[in-house]
Amino acid sequence: MVVIDRYIAGTFFASLLGLLLLCIFRFNDKQRKATIKGSNATLKTTSSTRGDYSPDTGSGTDVIVVGAGVAGSALAYTLGKDGRRVHVIERDLTEPDRIVGELLQPGGYLKLVELGLEDCVEDIDAQRVLGYALFKDGKNTRLSYPLENFHSDVAGRSFHNGRFIQKMREKAATLDNVRFEQGIVTSLLKENGTIKGVVYKTKDGQELKAYAPLTFVCDGCFSNLRRSLCNPKVDMPSCFVGLVLENCDLPFANHGHVILADPSPILFYPISSTEVRCLVDVPGQKVPSIANGELAKYLKTMVAPQIPPELQDSFISAIDRGNVRTMPNRSMPADPHPTPGALLMGDAFNMRHPLTGGGMTVALSDIVVLRDLLKPLSNLRDAHSLAKYLESFYTLRKPVASTINTLAGALYRVFSASPDQARKEMRQACFDYLSLGGVYSTGPVALISGLNPRPLSLVLHFFSVAIYGVGRLLLPFPSPKRLWIGVRLILSASGIIFPIIKAEGVRQMFFPASVPAVYRVRAPPVD
C-alpha cells in the first residue's frame, strides 16, 4: 500500500498538467465563442383580477417567479427579503409528492443558512445525515462528512421533499411584498427580443398577462419554457424506482447508503424518523412494467439479493405494499443564450444525475450568487444593460455547479457495472481508494457534500483513483495483459470525465478569471 501511495504522489502532478494542457488546447476556442454568445390555505394568494400590470409603469411587480419548487420558493423569499415586489405563479400550490429532492448536502445546508431559510428543515421530521456508507461485494466502508471545522448544526438533511417545499413557500408568503398565485404559465411575453412578462391561465381557466422587468423561470425538470432561454441538451441515462421502507434500521445510522450493485447503484437514506427511502437505479429510459408485475419480479429477484441482509425483509414488504413509483433521471448542462428580461434557474436551467444528491445545493448556491449580483441594484428596468450585467452569473456560478455536476456524472459511470475489464478495475479502484481513509476519503466526500466544490480538486482525485487502479494492476509484478488493462483504464477514465468537463465549459470551470466577470461589467444605472 505504501508503494502505491508513493506512486500516486509521484505521478498525479504529471497527469494533472497533461489534463489541463489538453483541456486548454482542445476546448478553449469553442468555449470562448460560447461565452460570448403550509397547506395551500396558509399561502397568500391574489385574486386573478389583479393579474395585469403595465410594463411601462413604476407600480406593480419587480420580479415574476415561474414555479414554486425549491429554487422558486427560495428565490422568492430571498428577493422579497431584499425589498423586491415578487409575484410567484405556481401550477399547483398543494404539497408536492416526489421521490427525489429529498437529500440536502451539508454544502446546501450552509447556503440555506446564508439565505436565512435554515428553519425550513425544522418541524418536518428531517433527519441529520453525517456521511455515506459504501457497499460492494459484501464489503463496506463508512465515509464521514468533514464537519470538524463547522458549527454542530451543520450536516446533511434528508426529508420528505413536499414538506420542505411547503415550509419554504410558507416562509416566503409571510413577506408582504411576495404573493403566490396558482396558475399555469403558457408562454413568455416577448417584445423586440426582450421578455416583458408571462401569459398564464388561472385556476379557473382565465387567461391573463403579468408584467415585470425581470422574470425567473424555475418550472423544474419538465420545463416547457426553457427552449426560449437556452439550448437544452437533455440526456436521460436511467430511471429511479422509488420505495419507502418502514420501521427499519439502516446498517449505519444517519448515513446515506450506496450499494454498488449490478447493473447500477441502489440508494438508501432516511426521510423521517420511521421511513427509509430506497431508490433503485435502472439504466435506460424504460423500467419493467408495474401493471403486469414485471417490476415487482425484477426488484425481488435481481435487486433484493444485492442489498444488505438486514434490509431485505423490509424491502420485500415495501414491494408487496405496492406503492412503487418511478422517476426519469435527467442531466442537462447549462447552455443559456442570455435574453433581456429573463433568467433560468433550478432544474429548468441545469440538471445532473441525482446519484450524489447535489441538485438542491447547486440551486441554492445559484440563488446566493444571484442575490449578491442584484442586491446593489434598485432599478431593474434597463433590460439590455441588466442582461449584460447578469451574464457574469453564468461564470460566477461555475466553480460550485460544474464541480457537483461533473462529479455526479462521473461517479454514476464509475459506480455502474460494466462487462469491460478496465471499467471493472476502475470501479474496484474507486471503492478501495475511498476505503483508504484520510485524505483519500475526506477529499472526495468534501466534493460530494458541496463543502469544497473545487474543480481542480475533483480532477486530482478522479485521476488519482485511476492511477491507484493502475498501481493495483502492476504490483507486485506487471504483465503485458495487466499493463494493457491499465492503459485502457486511464483511457476509460478520460473518456468518462473529459466529455462532462467539455459540456460544462473548460474555460469557465478552470479559468473563470479569463472570462468577463462582474467586476469587469458596468452595472446598470441605479435610481
Side-chain angles (χ1 to χ4, degrees):
M1 188 65 67
V2 174
V3 176
I4 294 173
D5 292 346
R6 289 176 181 172
Y7 185 78
I8 294 174
T11 58
F12 81 83
F13 289 109
S15 300
L16 183 59
L17 180 59
L19 167 68
L20 293 179
L21 289 175
L22 178 60
C23 290
I24 293 169
F25 291 118
R26 188 174 179 183
F27 307 132
N28 201 36
D29 287 342
K30 182 174 180 180
Q31 289 310 121
R32 184 180 295 109
K33 295 176 182 177
T35 303
I36 293 172
K37 328 181 314 197
S39 63
N40 189 27
T42 64
L43 298 175
K44 296 198 305 293
T45 61
T46 304
S47 171
S48 62
T49 60
R50 296 180 58 196
D52 288 356
Y53 293 94
S54 169
D56 300 318
T57 64
S59 62
T61 305
D62 296 315
V63 171
I64 294 171
V65 177
V66 181
V70 171
S73 299
L75 183 62
Y77 175 77
T78 300
L79 297 181
K81 191 170 64 170
D82 284 347
R84 311 288 184 189
R85 294 164 295 183
V86 183
H87 181 189
V88 184
I89 305 173
E90 162 60 34
R91 177 184 296 269
D92 185 356
L93 285 170
T94 59
E95 183 175 307
D97 183 15
R98 303 180 64 203
I99 65 170
V100 293
E102 298 172 317
L103 176 63
L104 180 67
Q105 296 286 5
Y109 179 78
L110 287 174
K111 297 300 179 184
L112 210 64
V113 172
E114 194 170 348
L115 294 171
L117 289 164
E118 67 273 18
D119 56 343
C120 292
V121 296
E122 298 174 2
D123 302 320
I124 60 172
D125 201 15
Q127 304 298 298
R128 286 170 57 85
V129 179
L130 303 177
Y132 285 95
L134 204 59
F135 293 76
K136 185 179 185 297
D137 299 332
K139 298 179 180 179
N140 64 74
T141 185
R142 183 166 61 176
L143 311 171
S144 298
Y145 292 137
L147 301 173
E148 298 80 7
N149 298 323
F150 296 94
H151 189 273
S152 59
D153 286 340
V154 178
R157 295 291 193 281
S158 53
F159 38 66
H160 282 270
N161 172 268
R163 297 176 186 174
F164 179 56
I165 288 176
Q166 283 301 91
K167 288 282 284 188
M168 288 202 294
R169 289 175 177 174
E170 291 168 9
K171 182 155 187 176
T174 63
L175 300 175
D176 292 335
N177 51 325
V178 177
R179 62 192 187 90
F180 284 77
E181 182 172 8
Q182 186 160 306
I184 299 174
V185 175
T186 55
S187 63
L188 301 174
L189 283 169
K190 195 170 186 178
E191 297 178 13
N192 300 320
T194 299
I195 304 300
K196 298 290 188 178
V198 300
V199 178
Y200 68 103
K201 288 185 177 180
T202 63
K203 191 175 181 180
D204 59 8
Q206 185 179 4
E207 184 170 276
L208 297 175
K209 295 178 181 179
Y211 294 94
L214 194 53
T215 298
F216 290 99
V217 176
C218 312
D219 56 346
C221 62
F222 300 106
S223 172
N224 65 338
L225 301 175
R226 66 161 65 101
R227 290 189 178 277
S228 302
L229 303 171
C230 75
N231 304 305
K233 301 180 181 66
V234 180
D235 181 35
M236 200 171 84
S238 65
C239 297
F240 268 156
V241 175
L243 309 92
V244 174
L245 281 59
E246 297 180 349
N247 299 309
C248 72
D249 296 324
L250 291 168
F252 296 90
N254 300 106
H255 283 67
H257 292 56
V258 183
I259 291 84
L260 303 189
D262 185 1
S264 51
I266 305 166
L267 308 180
F268 293 90
Y269 52 87
I271 55 174
S272 74
S273 54
T274 60
E275 298 166 299
V276 170
R277 169 67 72 194
C278 172
L279 294 174
V280 179
D281 186 85
V282 179
Q285 300 184 6
K286 292 184 178 181
V287 300
S289 172
I290 296 177
N292 63 15
E294 288 182 5
L295 181 57
K297 180 180 178 181
Y298 173 82
L299 294 173
K300 289 181 178 181
T301 60
M302 297 294 295
V303 177
Q306 299 187 72
I307 67 176
E310 55 265 53
L311 298 177
Q312 290 181 4
D313 288 344
S314 296
F315 182 77
I316 298 296
S317 297
I319 299 170
D320 291 338
R321 284 197 302 272
N323 189 20
V324 180
R325 300 171 59 191
T326 64
M327 175 76 180
N329 294 325
R330 296 167 180 254
S331 62
M332 185 185 77
D335 188 12
H337 44 78
T339 303
L343 207 67
L344 280 167
M345 298 292 289
D347 283 349
F349 174 48
N350 184 203
M351 295 180 283
R352 76 292 308 149
H353 195 284
L355 172 68
T356 59
M360 290 188 288
T361 300
V362 171
L364 295 170
S365 176
D366 284 354
I367 292 169
V368 170
V369 172
L370 188 66
R371 177 202 63 184
D372 294 342
L373 282 171
L374 292 178
K375 185 168 285 188
L377 307 181
S378 59
N379 176 20
L380 302 179
R381 295 188 177 274
D382 188 342
H384 289 277
S385 295
L386 182 62
K388 182 66 177 175
Y389 175 72
L390 290 180
E391 283 185 27
S392 58
F393 166 74
Y394 302 119
T395 297
L396 296 175
R397 70 180 293 273
K398 275 292 179 178
V400 174
S402 292
T403 300
I404 292 173
N405 293 345
T406 304
L407 185 63
L411 275 185
Y412 178 70
R413 294 281 302 280
V414 172
F415 282 176
S416 295
S418 171
D420 180 62
Q421 186 61 36
R423 288 281 301 277
K424 289 181 180 179
E425 291 292 340
M426 183 72 178
R427 192 188 199 203
Q428 186 64 49
C430 188
F431 180 86
D432 291 344
Y433 182 88
L434 294 171
S435 300
L436 292 174
V439 67
Y440 306 107
S441 64
T442 58
V445 173
L447 292 166
I448 295 171
S449 65
L451 295 171
N452 181 34
R454 298 181 181 178
L456 205 58
S457 179
L458 165 62
V459 173
L460 170 62
H461 281 288
F462 189 81
F463 278 95
S464 292
V465 169
I467 293 169
Y468 179 83
V470 173
R472 291 174 64 255
L473 286 167
L474 300 185
L475 294 176
F477 301 107
S479 67
K481 180 180 178 181
R482 286 174 168 264
L483 183 61
W484 174 236
I485 294 175
V487 171
R488 287 170 48 214
L489 191 155
I490 295 294
L491 293 174
S492 176
S494 301
I496 288 173
I497 200 168
F498 281 171
I500 303 174
I501 291 175
K502 179 182 178 182
E504 289 294 324
V506 175
R507 186 180 177 192
Q508 288 181 313
M509 189 170 174
F510 291 98
F511 310 104
S514 70
V515 180
V518 61
Y519 49 83
R520 295 195 182 96
V521 179
R522 183 179 178 184
V526 297
D527 292 337

